[in-house]
């Protein structure tokens, strides 16, 4: 499993680990090791999710009802990365975004035709570890598409780590308690 990190990410102390199953290679270079992505994850923000409410009145009483007709938009997750020494992880995401905008494909559908929709991360797994470093839960975000990369501030004379954030939309989410397989 050369594409997975071997230890819990040392950029946090919250005992969690984020593993991206794959990242589309639109750099034009040969294959890259996915660890250049996974080893530099600093954090993840899972935004809140809401449900619209309908309001009705019965007599003088106000009643609220959940609106079951939800939005058909994809949900969003933000992943923060520390830039690696060669800036390869930033470049990989940059090429993925720019070349997808140009219509470049990496994968093809079942019919052999290229689909931009398949230029995605198959799964982004967030593992939470307990005090004995055993995976307690896994949240799996499926079919993640890149939508944006934040600015990257590089400064002279500072010891702060250069970081950037990638915004990903995902199609589905699964949660597993005490996962059977964990990195």
């Amino acid at each position: 499993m050369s594409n997975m990190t071997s230890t819990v990410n040392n950029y946090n102390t919250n005992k969690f680990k984020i593993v991206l199953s794959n990242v589309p290679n639109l750099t034009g270079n040969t294959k890259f090791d996915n660890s250049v992505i996974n080893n530099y994850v600093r954090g993840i923000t899972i935004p809140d999710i809401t449900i619209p409410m309908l309001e009705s009145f019965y007599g003088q009483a106000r009643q609220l009802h959940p609106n079951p007709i939800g939005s058909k938009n994809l949900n969003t997750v933000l992943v923060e990365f520390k830039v690696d020494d060669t800036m390869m992880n930033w470049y990989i995401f940059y090429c993925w975004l720019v070349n997808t905008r140009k219509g470049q494909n990496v994968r093809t559908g079942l019919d052999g035709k290229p689909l931009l929709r398949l230029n995605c991360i198959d799964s982004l797994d967030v593992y939470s570890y307990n005090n004995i470093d055993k995976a307690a839960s896994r949240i799996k975000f499926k079919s993640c598409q890149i939508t944006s990369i934040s600015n990257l501030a590089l400064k002279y004379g500072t010891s702060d780590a250069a970081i950037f954030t990638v915004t990903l939309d995902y199609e589905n989410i699964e949660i597993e308690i005490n996962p059977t397989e964990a990195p």
Side-chain angles (χ1 to χ4, degrees):
M1 297 194 159
S2 65
N3 288 345
M4 300 180 88
T5 55
S6 58
T7 60
V8 174
N9 189 314
N10 61 4
Y11 293 112
N12 68 69
T13 58
N14 294 329
K15 298 224 177 230
F16 70 90
K17 181 177 182 177
I18 300 166
V19 178
L20 287 71
S21 64
N22 64 298
V23 176
N25 185 359
L26 294 161
T27 62
N29 296 334
T30 58
K31 287 186 172 187
F32 59 85
D33 189 359
N34 217 27
S35 63
V36 76
I37 303 293
N38 290 329
N39 284 336
Y40 289 92
V41 173
R42 284 191 48 151
I44 188 165
T45 302
I46 303 168
D48 59 347
I49 185 166
T50 60
I51 186 169
M53 299 298 284
L54 299 174
E55 182 179 43
S56 66
F57 291 92
Y58 182 72
Q60 298 297 324
R62 176 178 173 247
Q63 296 178 338
L64 294 175
H65 311 277
N67 184 355
I69 301 172
S71 171
K72 298 199 185 283
N73 294 335
L74 296 176
N75 298 301
T76 301
V77 66
L78 307 170
V79 183
E80 184 180 72
F81 294 90
K82 177 185 179 287
V83 177
D84 68 295
D85 296 336
T86 62
M87 294 180 62
M88 179 57 75
N89 58 355
W90 176 84
Y91 183 67
I92 289 166
F93 286 110
Y94 172 82
C95 288
W96 178 16
L97 183 63
V98 168
N99 289 320
T100 298
R101 285 172 48 186
K102 293 178 182 176
Q104 182 179 347
N105 296 78
V106 173
R107 297 158 113 184
T108 58
L110 296 174
D111 59 359
K113 294 182 180 175
L115 293 174
L116 282 177
R117 183 187 176 289
L118 296 178
N119 284 358
C120 67
I121 296 171
D122 295 329
S123 72
L124 186 153
D125 297 339
V126 180
Y127 291 91
S128 177
Y129 289 87
N130 60 19
N131 288 336
I132 57 171
D133 290 332
K134 184 176 181 204
S137 68
R138 174 177 67 180
I139 301 174
K140 179 180 271 201
F141 299 95
K142 293 182 168 183
S143 299
C144 301
Q145 293 281 348
I146 191 169
T147 58
S148 69
I149 303 171
S150 70
N151 61 351
L152 177 61
L154 302 174
K155 300 176 185 174
Y156 284 108
T158 182
S159 62
D160 295 338
I163 59 170
F164 66 98
T165 302
V166 174
T167 304
L168 299 163
D169 284 355
Y170 63 93
E171 291 182 359
N172 199 356
I173 185 173
E174 291 178 0
I175 298 175
E176 182 181 0
I177 305 299
N178 297 322
T180 54
E181 59 179 67

